[in-house]
């Protein structure tokens, strides 16, 4: 690996594994009857126990350590005393900040028995993210990522949220480039080895349009249809990419 970005990759992976570990802890407790505040507490404590900091906490005034986005919430849901119930789906988005570097990831959780349509939406969203990750390497265009996601998602009859996107990450939480989850092959900036960014498609069962609630954070589907999201932080190499937020139970 090029020595210029070896350290960046190593430090991002350390932060990324802590973030993934927090989601593994959530997986142990998430069920009907659990509040989203409880999820937030688990994430905060796990990250803190690993000598890291929850980057969302107080970021631009955000009041919690993670985002919890159930059902028709697209992203940036604020943990609260809301109780999850059987049939719900919920995205939990965490970012660990460790030794000056960020690792950002999110995952969908199923509460009890969920509907077939919710299952299909979750599976399609995950597949879209992984298909996009599989094409990333030095020399492809950012538009190739969006095109790969959009084609897979729309073929299944779902829609890609256009109001939010992935982002560059590293010593800064959010930076250039923006990673759109829709677009045309060959469009946009060319990806270079050493770049670190997130791929985090938000996919709606219905229309792609969203709106922000009065709290200034919570984004929901305008048509109240279900929404799903997955996210990984990756580093671009000459011939592919490395996923820094893949679950690793040994950390």
């Amino acid at each position: 690996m090029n020595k210029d970005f070896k350290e960046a990759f190593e430090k991002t992976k350390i932060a990324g594994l802590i973030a993934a570990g927090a989601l593994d802890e959530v997986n142990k407790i998430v069920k009907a009857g659990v509040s989203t505040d409880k999820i937030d507490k688990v994430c905060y404590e796990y990250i803190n126990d690993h000598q890291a900091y929850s980057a969302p906490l107080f970021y631009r005034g955000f009041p919690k350590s993670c985002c919890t986005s159930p059902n028709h919430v697209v992203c940036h849901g604020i943990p609260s005393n809301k109780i999850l119930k059987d049939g719900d789906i919920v995205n939990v988005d965490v970012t660990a900040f460790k030794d000056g570097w960020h690792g950002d990831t999110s995952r969908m959780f199923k509460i009890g028995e969920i509907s077939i349509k919710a299952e299909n939406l979750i599976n399609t969203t995950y597949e879209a993210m992984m298909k996009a990750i599989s094409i990333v390497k030095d020399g492809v265009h950012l538009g190739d990522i969006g095109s790969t996601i959009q084609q897979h998602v729309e073929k299944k009859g779902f829609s890609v949220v256009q109001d939010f996107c992935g982002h560059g990450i590293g010593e800064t939480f959010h930076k250039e480039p923006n990673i759109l989850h829709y677009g045309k092959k060959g469009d946009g900036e060319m990806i270079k080895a050493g770049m670190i960014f997130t791929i985090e498609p938000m996919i709606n069962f219905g229309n792609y349009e969203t709106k922000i609630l009065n709290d200034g954070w919570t984004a929901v589907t305008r048509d109240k249809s279900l929404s799903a999201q997955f996210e990984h932080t990756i580093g671009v190499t000459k011939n592919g990419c490395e996923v820094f937020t893949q679950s690793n139970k040994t950390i």
Side-chain angles (χ1 to χ4, degrees):
M1 185 188 296
N2 185 314
K3 67 180 189 307
D4 292 340
F5 51 84
K6 186 169 188 269
E7 182 188 17
F9 276 30
E10 287 173 350
K11 290 196 167 181
T12 301
K13 187 166 189 177
I14 290 167
L17 289 176
I18 294 170
L23 293 182
D24 290 339
E25 291 301 300
V26 169
N27 194 47
K28 294 176 184 177
I29 62 101
V30 69
K31 61 182 180 180
V34 167
S35 70
T36 52
D37 257 341
K38 171 68 173 174
I39 293 172
D40 182 70
K41 186 169 186 282
V42 166
C43 290
Y44 172 81
E45 289 179 351
Y46 182 88
I47 291 169
N48 198 51
D49 287 348
H50 286 76
Q51 292 74 55
Y53 182 79
S54 295
L57 186 60
F58 307 131
Y59 177 75
R60 295 180 181 169
F62 190 80
K64 298 288 183 170
S65 293
C66 69
C67 300
T68 52
S69 303
N71 300 324
H72 73 293
V73 179
V74 175
C75 60
H76 303 155
I78 301 172
S80 68
N81 59 4
K82 176 183 171 61
I83 301 295
L84 296 170
K85 61 185 190 301
D86 202 51
D88 283 347
I89 62 174
V90 61
N91 177 271
V92 181
D93 190 340
V94 297
T95 306
F97 182 63
K98 171 82 170 173
D99 294 334
W101 293 81
H102 294 81
D104 189 1
T105 186
S106 83
R107 203 182 295 173
M108 295 300 297
F109 296 92
K110 301 179 274 193
I111 312 303
E113 290 288 319
I114 66 170
S115 66
I116 291 170
K117 75 175 188 177
E119 191 82 54
N120 289 341
L121 178 67
I122 288 172
N123 290 342
T124 298
T125 305
Y126 182 77
E127 290 160 7
M129 176 185 69
M130 295 309 294
K131 279 178 178 287
I133 288 171
S134 75
I135 64 128
V136 172
K137 64 179 180 181
D138 185 279
V140 306
H141 290 264
L142 289 178
D144 298 0
I145 294 173
S147 172
T148 298
I149 291 168
Q150 186 174 16
Q151 284 184 29
H152 182 70
V153 166
E154 291 181 353
K155 190 171 67 182
K156 302 278 188 172
F158 304 127
S159 65
V160 180
V161 170
Q162 299 186 9
D163 295 332
F164 303 95
C165 59
H167 52 90
I169 189 169
E171 292 172 291
T172 305
F173 192 176
H174 295 94
K175 63 179 187 175
E176 295 294 319
N178 289 332
I179 311 298
L180 303 182
H181 302 116
Y182 63 95
K184 292 181 181 174
K185 192 171 169 58
D187 277 1
E189 182 183 339
M190 190 175 282
I191 296 169
K192 301 288 187 192
M195 290 172 78
I196 300 173
F197 54 78
T198 70
I199 296 179
E200 48 180 300
M202 287 146 267
I203 308 303
N204 294 348
F205 191 85
N207 193 277
Y208 66 81
E209 292 179 333
T210 69
K211 66 178 181 180
I212 307 291
L213 300 186
N214 290 336
D215 61 24
W217 283 101
T218 307
V220 299
T221 56
R222 279 192 175 274
D223 61 7
K224 296 188 169 59
S225 66
L226 290 175
S227 188
Q229 180 187 18
F230 284 91
E231 175 181 16
H232 273 317
T233 298
I234 66 171
V236 182
T237 63
K238 203 73 185 163
N239 300 308
C241 68
E242 184 175 353
V243 178
F244 298 132
T245 45
Q246 193 70 48
S247 174
N248 179 348
K249 301 294 176 62
T250 62
I251 190 163

